[in-house]
Amino acid sequence: MVSPAIALAFLPLLLTLIIRYRFYFVLFYRAFLVRIWKDCVTGLSREERAFQYVLTQATPGDPESILDAFDAWCSKVEFISNIGPKKGKILDRLLVEQSPLTVLELGTHCAYSTIRIARALPLGARLYSVEMDQRNAVIAEKIIRLAGFDDDTVELIVNPSDEVIPRLRSDYGIERLDFVFMDHWKKCYSPDLQLLEDCGLLGKGSMIVADNVLFPGAPKFLRHIRKSGLYEWKIHRATLEYSQGIRDGMAELVYQGIK
Amino acid sequence: MILLRLSNLNKTKHPYIFSAGNEDELTSPHRGRERSQRGEKRDGVYEKKKKKKVTSRRRERSGVDEGGVQLEHERRDKEKRKRKRNTVQARGEGEENHKEREDERKSRKTAKLGKSLRNENSQKIQKEGEEEGEENQEEETEKKPKRKKKHGHSKKEEVRPCSLSPEELEKLKEAVEERKKLIQSLRGKPWSMKKKLLTLRESQEFVEKYEGALGKAKGRKLYAYKVIMTKKWMKFQRDFENFKTACIPWEMKIKEIESHFGSSVASYFIFLRWMYGINMILFGLTFGLVMVPEALMGKPYGSIPRKTVPRSEEASAMNFAVLWDCGGYAQYSVLFYGYYNDQRAIGWLKFRMPLSYFLVGVGTVAYSYMVVIRTMARNANESGVGDDNSFNFSWKMFTSWDYLIGNPETADNKFASITTSFKEAILEEQENRKDDNIHLTRFLRVLANFLVLCCLAGSGYLIYFVVRRSQKFALDGLENHTWWERNEVNMVMSLLGMFCPMLFDVISTLENYHPRVALQWQLGRIFALFLGNLYTFIIALMDEINVKREEEKIIKFNITMWESNLYNGTGSENGTTVSPIIIQPADVPRGPCWETMVGQEFVRLIISDTMTTYITLLIGDFIRAVLVRFLNYCWCWDLEAGFPSYSEFDVSGNVLGPLLSSPCFSCRMGAFYAPCLPALNVLRLHVSMYLQCWAVMCCNVPQERVFKASRSNNFYMAMLLVILFLSTLPAIYTIVTIPPSFDCGPFSGKKRMFDVIQETLESDFPSWFSKVFIYASNPGLVLPFILLMVLAIYYLQSTSKSYKEANVELKKKLQTVTKTTLFFFMPSTALCCSCVKYLAQSYSGVQLLCSCISITV
């Protein structure tokens, strides 16, 4: 039988762990416990709840207000891993600097980032957004239309990314992607990037932006870009969306081609 | 990355400087006229500037002047032949003219050499001539770098050293000397690497070529032999230096760690090595003067009661659990105080065992004091950098790179940390100007200290509680309780010592100090924690000592009863003859011997502490690293970069571990009562050196904020001194106040332990010596002596203070002198560039940049 004094001596350790990893505990609570609870109570999926909130709060046709509504919902009510306002600003800046004509987005989810990108695009540019999940895609479609973007600007492709990328050239007639935004499964970052390279969709100067490379993190992706030498890259350090203490990064890659 | 940038910057910087020099030359008045006027202009301001520049240029150029001199002379020869009959030149070149005539007699090529040498001489003698000549040289060398080489080559074949006159030989010798000097001072010159290499090669060639030529035909061989020998000697010295470095234990390992983790982690290992060295010496003292003599010459085991395991314990005396608890045979061996006999002299050497025991105990304390104070004094000499706060940005700019880092990942980290520190510093500066957050920081700091105090009080109370409980268990009899309950005190102490620092670390993030300051606070707090724990422990021990002494009184009485019974019984049977009664020493009743008990407690503490450290190392570092590494393949987030990650090496906790639990310092008391403690400590340090080196390299990652630790850090030393003092206190207290046990240890039967000295004085020294000693210890003599010492200390201190002031003054002067050149010659100007980039992002940043530059220049 372990004596109570020895058990008490472990109290500092417990306190340390709780204090040091408090943000992770909060995140766990908000992203999982609350979600499961609400799923049981309302019978709707998380994305549907977010859509309902946006419908009630935002002005149709105004992307800005839709983004604000999303931010408000994600920071106050529940947690959805959108790109968030802080990293979104960096994304906006990159888009304005680059002003790409052909944009590919991997992982639409709730179309938050789609709206952000579409809003910053120059006239005549086209955004292809890839989403794997059928239900999410339906909601994303609705939200995109709610923001006032038509089929010419934003095209939603409902398929897994590794199936879509090889067919981009044949099915959609894309010769070169100016800008790629990755925010889908972190495990798919590295294979998808390699697919893009192999299909020859990247030209010199094409920019690839990948979110969440530090948390939840894509180590293989980072290793690949370090090793391949095809890119000029840097990581914008920031915190995880809608949370303060968890550090995260957004990788910005510029394709240089084989020198 | 920074280094790369540096080299780029140097490339861009140097041309600028040179081109500036050239421009100046171009714009200067015509050289011929200048030559004629120079004699009068000597003291003008312009002239001074010019001289400065030229001398600096000369330094740069002396590398190429071998060829340059050649060219110059060729040119000048022609010139001279043309104006042979010209009137006297403006500069007084009588000497040169004279030599010119001499030259003409010889063949033209040897003349060239002689002249070149002479020119080098005249450079020294006549500044004016030198200036002119050099300018010419420079011009020539810049114009025709290829020809220069050719000439240098052709010259080699042409010169025949045997045919030189003694004067020329003299000159040659001087030239060779000059080259040698140049080679020696080359490293410190502010040139580009390419130029340095070129110069080095050329001058080495020159030296090698002409060195053998010196001396006359007869002495030449000897001279060459001498030269060869000096070279060999140098080489041997260099090899010997390498050998010496290789002999320093763990040097290569520490260097490797330093290259991966920066100097703060390495300084910890250096500290550990230092401790190891000291413990080795202490171990040597106790082992050589106490343990070995007793084991070899003292009475053997089983001869007297104090050297025998008592009958009641004999059955379990060899059990591992008992031995692990320092009982059984371990207790009745040289490892502990109780085994030693009070015989005044042992063996054929008449070794004074009790005296030696006492003197070794005192000597180890004195030695450790001396070492710490000497190190402190040496460090105090080295550290004189001044205040870190006044030139914040320039310090950051020029000194933040840790040049000992050799690992790209660490270099990346360091680069990131420098840039972030710049960002932070800029933010801080902005916040300082706003002046609104200071109350919040103050509040947070006070709050953090309050929380830490709460922790300290809590841990103190827990230990107090546990100790009280253990006393209760001891009264009940230890056999009735589980292993956990028996080892509760040690377990709780080491657990608290392990976890509380972690909590402090978390709390200290509230305070937002610079990591170096934060580390000191952290060390201070852990120090308080350990010391509090140790003192609680010692106080509990004191209580136990008192209990044992009570017990001792009863047993003493019982023993006299037992003995008298024994003798009475035998006496009545045998009548008058006192027959030798044979009693096994194991059967004799004996006292509790509190000294051995204290020693045992400390040994147990050390062992449990070491075990906890190693187990934490294994679990916290190794197992964690293994899990992170291999679970990462099948986990939903990045374990390596994200949540658990690999552990960092925490300097603060590791520094205080060996520092506080080492018997050398913290358990002086224990070391006196258990001579095996230094040995245990050496063993522990040895193992932990290897284990920690391995653990650091294998499963830790470099700290995120790598910061530089100054090698001459007196903070550790000051803390050591305090610990030393505080830990000797209880030892001295017990030695002075508590009488030794009556039947164990070298001092048994004496009233106090230090009576040994008196006894020795009386019996082993001649009577006059003890008389002298008594006179010398007279207060009338001691007090003036102490007064004298205090005065001497005061005098030394005041002189050192005045020296320090003088130093500060000189430093100020140096700063004002060098401030113009500082900015351009600092090698780490690259950082300045990156700083400029960050600063320039905002308007206030630009302002800051201005202030920053104004600070630097």
Side-chain angles (χ1 to χ4, degrees):
Chain A
M1 178 59 208
V2 178
S3 69
I6 292 178
L8 260 181
F10 278 93
L11 190 69
L13 178 69
L14 198 70
L15 275 178
T16 311
L17 290 180
I18 289 175
I19 295 174
R20 186 170 287 169
Y21 299 118
R22 60 191 183 281
F23 295 112
Y24 293 92
F25 291 120
V26 169
L27 181 71
F28 176 74
Y29 168 76
R30 288 185 56 204
F32 288 92
L33 300 183
V34 172
R35 180 187 178 180
I36 292 167
W37 166 247
K38 289 271 172 132
D39 278 357
C40 293
V41 168
T42 58
L44 296 171
S45 76
R46 185 170 56 154
E47 288 76 17
E48 283 165 342
R49 290 197 296 275
F51 176 61
Q52 280 184 351
Y53 181 86
V54 170
L55 260 189
T56 56
Q57 298 291 319
T59 329
D62 182 9
E64 200 68 44
S65 80
I66 292 176
L67 291 182
D68 285 344
F70 261 119
D71 286 339
W73 191 77
C74 293
S75 51
K76 289 190 185 112
V77 187
E78 273 182 65
F79 181 86
I80 283 186
S81 67
N82 292 322
I83 188 171
K86 276 182 194 163
K87 281 187 282 182
K89 283 220 175 77
I90 301 173
L91 183 66
D92 287 349
R93 182 169 60 80
L94 292 177
L95 279 166
V96 168
E97 281 169 10
Q98 194 81 357
S99 63
L101 288 177
T102 327
V103 181
L104 175 70
E105 187 197 7
L106 301 173
T108 314
H109 203 69
C110 290
Y112 177 91
S113 48
T114 317
I115 292 172
R116 241 185 203 286
I117 295 170
R119 182 178 73 140
L121 285 183
L123 217 64
R126 197 166 161 81
L127 167 65
Y128 300 90
S129 191
V130 179
E131 173 60 45
M132 189 176 75
D133 190 72
Q134 193 70 44
R135 290 171 65 192
N136 284 353
V138 171
I139 293 163
E141 177 94 38
K142 283 181 197 164
I143 288 175
I144 291 166
R145 300 295 167 252
L146 188 71
F149 296 111
D150 55 0
D151 261 344
D152 293 336
T153 325
V154 181
E155 177 153 355
L156 195 64
I157 305 166
V158 188
N159 246 335
S161 57
D162 52 339
E163 286 177 24
V164 173
I165 292 169
R167 290 185 309 170
L168 274 178
R169 194 183 288 265
S170 55
D171 289 9
Y172 300 94
I174 300 170
E175 284 302 314
R176 177 184 187 274
L177 290 166
D178 297 323
F179 194 94
V180 180
F181 179 68
M182 293 184 171
D183 195 10
H184 54 314
W185 287 109
K186 314 307 165 202
K187 294 239 149 124
C188 302
Y189 280 13
S190 170
D192 282 353
L193 187 68
Q194 280 168 19
L195 261 182
L196 284 172
E197 285 166 17
D198 294 342
C199 296
L201 287 165
L202 299 174
K204 190 170 160 56
S206 301
M207 185 179 275
I208 299 143
V209 173
D211 191 20
N212 301 117
V213 288
L214 294 186
F215 184 88
K220 275 185 192 161
F221 175 75
L222 291 180
R223 214 168 298 142
H224 174 72
I225 57 176
R226 250 181 224 139
K227 271 188 191 164
S228 69
L230 295 170
Y231 306 95
E232 226 171 57
W233 60 282
K234 64 177 167 188
I235 291 180
H236 298 276
R237 286 174 193 274
T239 56
L240 189 70
E241 52 272 3
Y242 314 121
S243 130
Q244 284 155 12
I246 303 172
R247 280 174 314 133
D248 187 21
M250 198 164 79
E252 172 201 333
L253 288 67
V254 179
Y255 188 78
Q256 296 295 317
I258 299 155
K259 280 161 202 164
Chain B
M1 277 166 96
I2 285 191
L3 286 175
L4 243 167
R5 283 184 186 194
L6 263 177
S7 62
N8 283 341
L9 221 111
N10 276 345
K11 267 179 210 161
T12 55
K13 209 92 216 178
H14 277 288
Y16 169 69
I17 292 168
F18 293 149
S19 69
N22 290 343
E23 262 173 33
D24 198 77
E25 209 168 89
L26 287 176
T27 51
S28 69
H30 188 258
R31 219 172 289 123
R33 204 182 298 156
E34 202 187 321
R35 190 194 300 151
S36 60
Q37 289 166 353
R38 207 161 271 171
E40 299 113 46
K41 264 193 175 179
R42 193 171 282 191
D43 45 357
V45 181
Y46 168 76
E47 194 63 24
K48 269 186 191 166
K49 272 187 192 167
K50 184 81 189 169
K51 253 186 223 165
K52 206 174 169 185
K53 210 166 275 170
V54 167
T55 44
S56 72
R57 227 181 289 142
R58 176 174 45 152
R59 249 186 284 141
E60 286 164 14
R61 213 183 324 99
S62 52
V64 286
D65 63 3
E66 183 184 340
V69 166
Q70 289 292 315
L71 288 173
E72 202 271 324
H73 269 273
E74 198 180 42
R75 195 184 64 83
R76 213 200 269 170
D77 267 10
K78 278 180 205 163
E79 226 175 41
K80 272 172 197 163
R81 243 172 285 129
K82 270 182 204 166
R83 46 172 195 188
K84 217 173 187 176
R85 275 153 216 130
N86 268 9
T87 48
V88 186
Q89 290 169 8
R91 43 184 181 144
E93 259 189 301
E95 185 198 6
E96 197 154 317
N97 278 339
H98 166 70
K99 268 164 195 166
E100 206 175 292
R101 257 170 263 140
E102 201 178 89
D103 291 341
E104 276 170 29
R105 262 180 274 135
K106 296 189 174 180
S107 72
R108 201 184 144 201
K109 278 152 193 173
T110 39
K112 214 188 275 172
L113 174 79
K115 264 191 172 181
S116 79
L117 294 168
R118 184 187 339 118
N119 190 44
E120 279 183 358
N121 285 344
S122 66
Q123 273 180 14
K124 277 185 205 160
I125 300 158
Q126 290 181 318
K127 265 197 180 163
E128 309 309 314
E130 160 212 324
E131 265 177 33
E132 189 252 3
E134 271 169 7
E135 270 163 28
N136 287 345
Q137 285 165 26
E138 198 167 72
E139 205 178 43
E140 293 279 325
T141 46
E142 272 164 15
K143 274 179 190 166
K144 302 158 192 169
K146 276 178 194 169
R147 262 184 64 196
K148 174 190 79 182
K149 268 191 183 171
K150 221 203 255 166
H151 272 265
H153 189 69
S154 63
K155 190 189 71 185
K156 265 182 208 167
E157 296 160 7
E158 286 150 8
V159 176
R160 283 175 205 83
C162 316
S163 61
L164 290 176
S165 69
E167 277 174 43
E168 280 159 350
L169 270 177
E170 196 62 29
K171 280 161 211 155
L172 193 61
K173 208 170 185 178
E174 262 177 45
V176 167
E177 285 298 310
E178 207 157 281
R179 290 301 156 107
K180 277 184 180 170
K181 235 181 255 169
L182 178 71
I183 291 173
Q184 271 179 355
S185 61
L186 193 68
R187 197 176 281 179
K189 302 236 152 125
W191 303 341
S192 68
M193 207 61 209
K194 222 173 170 181
K195 194 175 173 188
K196 274 188 191 177
L197 279 176
L198 192 75
T199 315
L200 184 71
R201 215 176 303 128
E202 277 179 355
S203 12
Q204 269 175 349
E205 261 172 29
F206 184 87
V207 168
E208 223 156 88
K209 190 152 172 32
Y210 293 112
E211 215 172 26
L214 293 176
K216 280 160 207 165
K218 217 178 179 184
R220 229 175 102 194
K221 233 175 189 176
L222 187 72
Y223 187 79
Y225 180 71
K226 234 160 115 188
V227 168
I228 289 171
M229 280 320 284
T230 38
K231 268 184 188 165
K232 287 229 161 118
W233 173 243
M234 296 259 281
K235 192 171 179 308
F236 171 74
Q237 268 182 330
R238 209 162 49 218
D239 286 347
F240 189 67
E241 284 293 321
N242 287 348
F243 176 70
K244 269 204 299 198
T245 323
C247 278
I248 300 171
W250 299 303
E251 182 71 8
M252 291 316 291
K253 254 183 186 163
I254 290 174
K255 283 275 174 290
E256 202 183 340
I257 288 169
E258 191 163 29
S259 75
H260 278 80
F261 291 87
S263 52
S264 64
V265 175
S267 76
Y268 161 69
F269 281 98
I270 288 167
F271 180 70
L272 203 66
R273 189 175 62 187
W274 184 79
M275 296 271 295
Y276 182 78
I278 288 174
N279 269 301
M280 265 320 250
I281 289 169
L282 296 188
F283 166 68
L285 275 178
T286 39
F287 190 73
L289 291 177
V290 175
M291 286 164 84
V292 169
E294 177 68 22
L296 291 181
M297 300 188 288
K299 283 185 178 168
Y301 172 82
S303 53
I304 47 173
R306 70 183 64 177
K307 296 196 176 195
T308 325
V309 178
R311 190 68 73 195
S312 58
E313 294 173 19
E314 241 170 26
S316 64
M318 220 29 210
N319 291 358
F320 180 73
V322 174
L323 286 181
W324 189 249
D325 263 0
C326 311
Y329 283 108
Q331 188 183 344
Y332 298 96
S333 68
V334 280
L335 302 180
F336 289 101
Y337 173 93
Y339 182 79
Y340 293 82
N341 198 3
D342 60 344
Q343 219 178 341
R344 226 171 62 77
I346 54 169
W348 52 275
L349 274 177
K350 300 263 178 251
F351 191 77
R352 306 281 191 276
M353 193 61 216
L355 181 71
S356 156
Y357 197 101
F358 188 80
L359 286 184
V360 165
V362 173
T364 46
V365 175
Y367 175 74
S368 28
Y369 267 111
M370 201 185 72
V371 163
V372 171
I373 286 175
R374 216 183 54 192
T375 320
M376 269 183 90
R378 206 170 48 217
N379 286 351
N381 283 344
E382 278 173 21
S383 69
V385 188
D387 47 348
D388 274 1
N389 301 324
S390 49
F391 302 110
N392 196 0
F393 278 97
S394 29
W395 282 125
K396 276 212 167 69
M397 213 184 285
F398 296 124
T399 64
S400 50
W401 187 251
D402 192 341
Y403 283 94
L404 295 166
I405 292 173
N407 184 32
E409 229 170 275
T410 319
D412 274 358
N413 272 3
K414 183 71 194 170
F415 182 74
S417 86
I418 290 173
T419 47
T420 47
S421 84
F422 262 109
K423 282 181 197 168
E424 279 168 10
I426 291 166
L427 280 179
E428 224 170 77
E429 195 71 30
Q430 281 170 344
E431 268 171 20
N432 276 352
R433 294 191 179 178
K434 275 184 217 157
D435 268 341
D436 59 352
N437 237 359
I438 190 104
H439 294 297
L440 182 67
T441 359
R442 269 183 199 155
F443 169 72
L444 284 177
R445 283 174 187 179
V446 169
L447 181 73
N449 280 316
F450 175 72
L451 289 177
V452 167
L453 274 183
C454 285
C455 280
L456 286 178
S459 76
Y461 180 73
L462 193 63
I463 287 174
Y464 176 73
F465 172 76
V466 168
V467 167
R468 288 288 296 275
R469 233 162 81 101
S470 78
Q471 282 167 356
K472 207 171 71 189
F473 291 155
L475 284 181
D476 288 356
L478 280 176
E479 294 74 27
N480 307 331
H481 296 279
T482 56
W483 185 84
W484 289 106
E485 281 169 336
R486 266 182 283 143
N487 290 290
E488 213 175 43
V489 180
N490 292 338
M491 289 279 290
V492 166
M493 269 182 75
S494 16
L495 283 179
L496 280 179
M498 204 163 63
F499 296 140
C500 279
M502 288 159 83
L503 193 59
F504 293 163
D505 196 25
V506 165
I507 289 172
S508 71
T509 50
L510 273 181
E511 295 175 313
N512 202 15
Y513 280 123
H514 182 273
R516 211 176 296 137
V517 185
L519 179 71
Q520 292 194 351
W521 273 95
Q522 174 80 351
L523 285 175
R525 279 165 191 163
I526 300 173
F527 174 63
L529 174 83
F530 275 64
L531 218 61
N533 293 358
L534 196 74
Y535 259 70
T536 326
F537 181 72
I538 286 173
I539 286 166
L541 267 184
M542 288 290 181
D543 283 350
E544 217 158 327
I545 288 173
N546 287 336
V547 171
K548 292 260 167 170
R549 283 183 57 216
E550 294 296 317
E551 217 175 295
E552 199 180 82
K553 270 179 200 161
I554 300 166
I555 288 178
K556 221 173 175 177
F557 178 71
N558 281 352
I559 284 177
T560 45
M561 292 293 286
W562 177 77
E563 272 177 350
S564 61
N565 276 344
L566 211 64
Y567 282 106
N568 285 344
T570 49
S572 62
E573 273 173 26
N574 285 3
T576 51
T577 55
V578 182
S579 72
I581 313 150
I582 298 156
I583 309 162
Q584 288 292 321
D587 294 327
V588 177
R590 59 192 74 173
C593 197
W594 59 267
E595 292 97 336
T596 303
M597 187 268 301
V598 171
Q600 275 174 319
E601 285 295 325
F602 274 102
V603 170
R604 267 181 224 146
L605 186 69
I606 284 282
I607 289 175
S608 82
D609 202 67
T610 316
M611 287 297 125
T612 355
T613 319
Y614 292 163
I615 288 169
T616 351
L617 204 70
L618 278 183
I619 292 177
D621 286 358
F622 184 64
I623 305 242
R624 177 172 165 188
V626 167
L627 284 182
V628 165
R629 178 81 181 77
F630 292 105
L631 272 186
N632 204 23
Y633 292 120
C634 49
W635 204 257
C636 56
W637 68 76
D638 189 4
L639 291 171
E640 285 180 343
F643 170 32
S645 179
Y646 298 107
S647 54
E648 286 176 359
F649 185 84
D650 69 320
V651 182
S652 53
N654 276 314
V655 164
L656 284 168
L659 207 142
L660 282 155
S661 50
S662 76
C664 148
F665 293 120
S666 71
C667 309
R668 273 271 51 96
M669 191 173 168
F672 190 73
Y673 297 122
C676 65
L677 264 188
L680 269 181
N681 204 39
V682 165
L683 196 71
R684 168 207 165 110
L685 281 173
H686 195 88
V687 172
S688 68
M689 195 80 197
Y690 280 103
L691 200 68
Q692 286 195 316
C693 277
W694 165 78
V696 157
M697 292 304 281
C698 161
C699 30
N700 283 10
V701 285
Q703 272 168 323
E704 217 163 292
R705 296 177 76 175
V706 183
F707 58 91
K708 242 170 33 182
S710 47
R711 183 71 52 84
S712 57
N713 204 345
N714 254 355
F715 188 73
Y716 291 162
M717 290 297 146
M719 215 149 61
L720 256 184
L721 196 66
V722 174
I723 291 170
L724 200 56
F725 178 70
L726 288 175
S727 58
T728 33
L729 266 188
I732 290 172
Y733 176 77
T734 50
I735 288 171
V736 171
T737 55
I738 304 176
S741 316
F742 71 99
D743 68 339
C744 68
F747 310 114
S748 57
K750 294 193 179 61
K751 242 178 137 185
R752 295 273 183 260
M753 289 178 190
F754 53 81
D755 285 347
V756 167
I757 302 240
Q758 217 171 341
E759 189 192 85
T760 315
L761 274 179
E762 276 165 12
S763 54
D764 285 345
F765 284 95
S767 57
W768 62 267
F769 189 84
S770 60
K771 228 179 235 171
V772 167
F773 191 78
I774 287 163
Y775 284 135
S777 60
N778 186 2
L781 218 61
V782 170
L783 279 181
F785 185 69
I786 290 175
L787 201 70
L788 196 71
M789 250 164 63
V790 167
L791 283 178
I793 289 170
Y794 176 73
Y795 169 73
L796 287 178
Q797 215 213 336
S798 56
T799 46
S800 83
K801 206 179 243 173
S802 66
Y803 283 145
K804 212 173 254 176
E805 274 167 14
N807 255 349
V808 169
E809 281 297 311
L810 283 176
K811 215 174 273 169
K812 266 183 197 163
K813 273 180 194 163
L814 207 68
Q815 275 171 357
T816 49
V817 168
T818 53
K819 68 182 174 185
T820 44
T821 49
L822 179 76
F823 196 73
F824 297 106
F825 283 109
M826 270 299 182
S828 50
T829 347
L831 269 174
C832 166
C833 238
S834 60
C835 160
V836 166
K837 238 161 91 189
Y838 287 109
L839 284 165
Q841 282 176 357
S842 63
Y843 173 62
S844 58
V846 173
Q847 273 184 333
L848 271 173
L849 174 71
C850 294
S851 65
C852 180
I853 288 170
S854 67
I855 288 166
T856 322
V857 179

